[in-house]
Amino acid sequence: MPGRVAVVGGGISGLVCAARLGQLGVSDVTVFDTGRHACGGRCSSRTETINGSDYVFDHSAQYFTVSDPRFAPIVSSLHSKGAVRIWSGPVGHLKDGKFTADPSLTQAFVGTGGMRSVAECLSTMCSVQRPGWVGSVAFDSVAKKWKVDKYGFFDYLVIAHNGKCADRLMSDSGAAVIHQLLRVRFSHSLNPRDARMHLTSLWVLMVAFKSSLNLPFEGAHVTDVAEAVSWICNNSKKLRQSGPVECWTVVSTAAFGSAHKVPQENVPPGKRKEVVQALLASLSRVTGVKNLPEVCFTRVQLWGAALPLNVYSSRDECLFDAQRQVGVCGDWLVSPCIQGAALSGLAMAEKIRQHVSGDAQSSTLQPQFKAALSEAVGAFPVNPKMIFSPKKQ
């Protein structure tokens, strides 16, 4: 089956799209990802050496759920290959120092070596160019092909990321409608009169303590609205890491991220110190641990294009301009979570397969958005009627 495809972005949606295209017979697909160490987008982890030993921190997506039967076979495959496992937690909500397990969370999944294991496994199913920076794309209306930077011509272009980079990349590409839908507003609150994708910015603190905090949970969504912290997670417990230190990920609220927004490429050292101190103080208050154990490691990063506050209100689950042979996939087109990203990638692959087969139908290409129902660190959809067991798939 003909069709050369360039996928810009090696997050979950881009990787799933590429892998699915291969299964559908469109095999000449290249994923371009800027990651120096690994691909994965929001599904990534970081390894840090602390007191001579290596520890893994999940610093973006924290876990995921399965509530759609189309996503279940993907997770089953990841599970069979040892990339994911069920996270028994406890996981829930924390308010006024009191933890409550989430009864609706029938299952949570995590990567066996951190969330990066999900992307690493998916990347083995497709061709990935990494690090592969794509700084320009242009549609040749005569040849009906896309010129993708220095990498040559492709029959189809898929944009599998969002934020400022996607906006800039498509601004002078010859696909004005697609560019309009990739325009972005950064904010901690949703303005329904602004028909653009809204993205939050979050600060993420990775911290290691010399002794345990002795808390009765492994992950908690913080619901104290006045606090700076929205999520805390014990990476040592979640990732089953042994060692003398206890590693935690602390994620800020969107309001805190907005209040402390600085250029992501050049964060002032003074701001890093200020954010670390503020998040540690908030961690102490929300957990009720007045005297935190001695800190032996900290690293803080600004997660600039963290999560969408709104999602595209279309049943297509992806964007596709059939005339220009360009599409967009991502969690913001379905639901801000790993499942949403995967479903969008599947939909994008199907659109391209249909076009290759002679179906030239575009998806809905109007700026129609609705509020995303999600936690500060993503959506975790559940389906009480579907208890997914990967061992039985």
Side-chain angles (χ1 to χ4, degrees):
M1 184 178 289
R4 191 178 187 216
V5 184
V7 178
V8 182
I12 299 304
S13 62
L15 293 172
V16 167
C17 176
R20 182 57 178 157
L21 280 170
Q23 293 175 339
L24 293 172
V26 184
S27 58
D28 192 355
V29 183
T30 302
V31 177
F32 296 95
D33 189 79
T34 58
R36 288 176 295 174
H37 305 292
C39 52
R42 296 187 180 105
C43 202
S44 56
S45 312
R46 186 184 296 276
T47 300
E48 299 288 352
T49 301
I50 306 170
N51 296 338
S53 299
D54 289 340
Y55 298 89
V56 177
F57 292 84
D58 282 334
H59 60 91
S60 299
Q62 296 294 301
Y63 67 97
F64 67 94
T65 55
V66 182
S67 64
D68 192 296
R70 295 171 295 169
F71 184 45
I74 296 175
V75 179
S76 183
S77 175
L78 291 168
H79 186 273
S80 68
K81 295 177 180 179
V84 303
R85 65 172 178 82
I86 295 175
W87 183 24
S88 56
V91 184
H93 294 83
L94 188 64
K95 185 176 183 180
D96 299 326
K98 296 181 180 179
F99 173 75
T100 304
D102 188 347
S104 69
L105 191 63
T106 53
Q107 282 180 317
F109 287 84
V110 296
T112 51
M115 295 304 291
R116 66 186 177 197
S117 295
V118 179
E120 287 174 348
C121 187
L122 289 172
S123 67
T124 64
M125 306 177 198
C126 50
S127 175
V128 179
Q129 174 80 36
R130 182 184 59 78
W133 177 260
V134 176
S136 65
V137 295
F139 182 64
D140 187 326
S141 58
V142 176
K144 294 290 185 181
K145 291 183 182 292
W146 282 91
K147 176 69 166 60
V148 179
D149 208 311
K150 61 184 178 182
Y151 302 104
F153 287 89
F154 293 79
D155 299 295
Y156 297 91
L157 174 67
V158 175
I159 304 300
H161 67 114
N162 55 28
K164 290 181 180 179
C165 290
D167 184 345
R168 286 196 294 261
L169 181 65
M170 296 302 292
S171 62
D172 194 30
S173 65
V177 175
I178 293 293
H179 171 242
Q180 179 188 21
L181 293 169
L182 286 170
R183 293 171 60 241
V184 62
R185 172 192 176 112
F186 286 92
S187 175
H188 68 279
S189 59
L190 183 63
N191 180 356
R193 293 188 298 273
D194 190 335
R196 287 183 293 174
M197 179 199 324
H198 286 50
L199 286 173
T200 62
S201 295
L202 303 174
W203 282 95
V204 181
L205 170 65
M206 292 162 278
V207 57
F209 299 99
K210 284 192 173 181
S211 58
S212 176
L213 272 63
N214 294 315
L215 293 172
F217 57 83
E218 295 183 14
H221 298 275
V222 179
T223 55
D224 292 304
V225 294
E227 282 295 345
V229 172
S230 67
W231 165 263
I232 58 178
C233 178
N234 185 337
N235 287 272
S236 296
K237 291 280 185 69
K238 184 179 83 167
L239 302 180
R240 298 175 176 175
Q241 301 181 99
S242 59
V245 305
E246 191 169 83
C247 301
W248 286 78
T249 294
V250 181
V251 182
S252 81
T253 62
F256 183 89
S258 179
H260 294 269
K261 185 74 180 291
V262 293
Q264 188 175 355
E265 302 80 10
N266 187 25
V267 179
K271 175 58 69 174
R272 292 184 185 277
K273 183 177 180 180
E274 177 188 357
V275 169
V276 168
Q277 291 175 342
L279 293 182
L280 283 176
S282 185
L283 174 66
S284 176
R285 290 191 297 269
V286 300
T287 60
V289 181
K290 294 183 179 180
N291 296 307
L292 293 173
E294 184 179 349
V295 173
C296 56
F297 169 83
T298 62
R299 185 184 184 113
V300 69
Q301 68 180 48
L302 178 59
W303 187 5
L307 292 164
L309 293 174
N310 53 0
V311 293
Y312 197 61
S313 54
S314 170
R315 295 181 179 179
D316 290 313
E317 299 183 323
C318 69
L319 303 174
F320 185 64
D321 182 340
Q323 182 179 358
R324 292 171 180 79
Q325 296 162 202
V326 56
V328 182
C329 58
D331 62 350
W332 63 278
L333 292 161
V334 181
S335 175
C337 60
I338 291 174
Q339 175 175 275
L343 294 179
S344 185
L346 289 175
M348 187 74 262
E350 185 60 31
K351 280 286 187 183
I352 292 175
R353 184 200 66 81
Q354 291 172 354
H355 192 273
V356 170
S357 301
D359 184 350
Q361 185 176 1
S362 296
S363 59
T364 302
L365 297 173
Q366 297 295 327
Q368 303 170 347
F369 290 87
K370 61 183 179 181
L373 303 176
S374 62
E375 301 277 2
V377 293
F380 303 95
V382 295
N383 183 353
K385 298 180 181 179
M386 176 183 167
I387 305 301
F388 172 60
S389 176
K391 295 179 181 179
K392 297 179 181 179
Q393 296 297 307

